[in-house]
Amino acid sequence: PEGEEGNDGGATSAVAWLRQRFRRFNVVSRTSELWCVSVDSDVEVPAYYLFWPADQNLEQLFVTRPALHRALEEEESITLHEMKPVRVSARDGTKLLCYLTLPAGGETAAPMVVMPHGGPSERDSWGYCGVSQWLASRGMAVLAVNYRGSTGFGHRFFRAGMSGKFASFGGVGASMQTDVEDAVNWVCDNRAVLRE
């Protein structure tokens, strides 16, 4: 049967082995004998590895922030802050995927910085974000909102942020702005829920 070891060249067991070691990884390039794997998460410094699936051997190529990586390994007092995905309902019921990074201890009463992504035809995604980590390490919560017009959520969601006239006249950007406002209000109204 397809997917059984032997029919997929051992890829299924290799992927399972990688899943046990990393929160999130991506196979950037591969041959039957050698894979290049990128690893990152919200609480790990992004790194790249060579991986030999046959003998499940990893060799680190490099980390993107070597000084931070060394500091995390050498000092127990340094930690990275978890980025929580939260689903928020906009005022018209549209679901928005947002990412909330809280300071140490999950302090939800902390001041909050809203960090909109560029674009509008871009998006925020879960993973390591140096700016969010820096702000959280200084006691601030960080909210990243995938408002209407963000990519990766379907054509209708994208177009909902792009129709109409200029933002200052209630067209392009109006739903983007209200989506950000609704996400901020949701976080403020749900601080107790977010502690858990």
Side-chain angles (χ1 to χ4, degrees):
E2 195 168 315
E4 260 186 45
E5 197 162 317
N7 291 341
D8 66 359
T12 302
S13 63
V15 167
W17 189 86
L18 288 167
R19 280 193 180 129
Q20 292 175 352
R21 278 144 191 83
F22 303 113
R23 287 181 78 180
R24 180 171 80 167
F25 67 90
N26 183 40
V27 178
V28 178
S29 176
R30 79 177 211 179
T31 66
S32 59
E33 289 125 26
L34 181 64
W35 298 5
C36 180
V37 179
S38 68
V39 174
D40 88 282
S41 78
D42 54 343
V43 295
E44 293 175 297
V45 177
Y48 286 79
Y49 294 87
L50 290 177
F51 175 61
W52 289 266
D55 59 359
Q56 298 178 333
N57 185 29
L58 273 176
E59 178 184 321
Q60 189 178 76
L61 290 172
F62 64 93
V63 294
T64 59
R65 290 169 175 75
L68 177 58
H69 180 72
R70 278 191 303 279
L72 289 167
E73 288 189 344
E74 294 170 4
E75 296 183 43
E76 289 183 19
S77 63
I78 298 176
T79 58
L80 295 179
H81 305 274
E82 183 181 359
M83 177 186 273
K84 296 180 180 186
V86 291
R87 288 239 179 239
V88 173
S89 289
R91 59 190 69 182
D92 66 356
T94 300
K95 298 292 184 193
L96 308 171
L97 176 60
C98 305
Y99 298 100
L100 181 64
T101 304
L102 298 174
E107 181 52 55
T108 57
M112 183 169 62
V113 174
V114 177
M115 200 164 70
H117 61 72
S121 57
E122 292 183 22
R123 67 164 292 163
D124 284 307
S125 58
W126 181 87
Y128 176 82
C129 176
V131 175
S132 295
Q133 292 295 332
W134 182 76
L135 291 166
S137 74
R138 280 141 182 86
M140 291 176 252
V142 181
L143 179 65
V145 181
N146 281 307
Y147 45 77
R148 277 172 272 206
S150 301
T151 57
F153 300 97
H155 185 70
R156 184 176 294 151
F157 189 84
F158 175 75
R159 294 297 305 156
M162 296 296 158
S163 60
K165 299 178 182 161
F166 295 104
S168 60
F169 297 21
V172 171
S175 63
M176 295 176 190
Q177 182 61 41
T178 59
D179 287 351
V180 172
E181 292 170 9
D182 294 342
V184 168
N185 291 334
W186 184 90
V187 170
C188 292
D189 292 344
N190 289 280
R191 289 184 185 269
V193 172
L194 293 169
R195 281 192 197 108
E196 298 170 4

